[in-house]
Every structure is written in structure tokens, then in C-alpha cells.
Amino acid sequence: MTRLMRELIEKLEALSEAEQDALAREFLHVIEAGSGEGAVYILTPEQEEEVRRALEDGEPNASPEEVEAFFARFRG
């Protein structure tokens, strides 16, 4: 397991069960979509940093509905 994956898991563990489930569904969707060539969206370093800052800024995390709306933008 990579350092980045361990960091992600630590952040996920701090979320509510509903948030964890919403993100798990999205991760599974991405993994399953990855079976086709070019089907996985890769964050740029800038996007990764934006996500990292958002998780660490002390502000409330997104609701499950907000997470769904965010990821819906990237679905085909």
C-alpha cells in the first residue's frame, strides 16, 4: 500500500459512516470503470492539493449529497 493510500484511509476513518459509504460507492465506481482504457480520472497535483487543503481546513466535510453531486460531474 502506498503512502498516499494510507493517508487517504486515515482521513476516511475520521468521517461518519454515511460519508464513508458515499465515498466508498464512488471509489468502487471509479475502480469498476477503470477496466476500460482511459476510464479513470486522475487528479492533477493541484487538484490533490485542493482536496488535501479542504480536508484539513477545519470546515465541515461535504454531506453525502454534496459528494454525490461532485462525482456526478465526472461520470460519462
Side-chain angles (χ1 to χ4, degrees):
M1 184 178 303
T2 69
R3 177 200 56 77
L4 187 57
M5 184 60 75
R6 279 192 287 278
E7 181 180 338
L8 171 64
I9 290 171
E10 285 178 23
K11 300 289 185 184
L12 291 172
E13 288 174 338
L15 300 176
S16 70
E17 286 186 17
E19 291 169 315
Q20 289 180 21
D21 285 347
L23 288 169
R25 280 190 291 278
E26 293 305 322
F27 293 143
L28 289 171
H29 174 77
V30 169
I31 290 168
E32 291 164 1
S35 60
E37 192 171 317
V40 176
Y41 181 82
I42 305 296
L43 294 177
T44 66
E46 294 80 14
Q47 290 168 321
E48 286 183 21
E49 182 58 30
E50 182 179 347
V51 170
R52 188 171 289 112
R53 280 194 315 268
L55 289 172
E56 294 173 349
D57 69 2
E59 294 293 319
N61 293 311
S63 69
E65 294 79 18
E66 291 170 320
V67 170
E68 173 61 29
F70 172 81
F71 282 104
R73 299 183 322 192
F74 301 103
R75 292 193 191 115

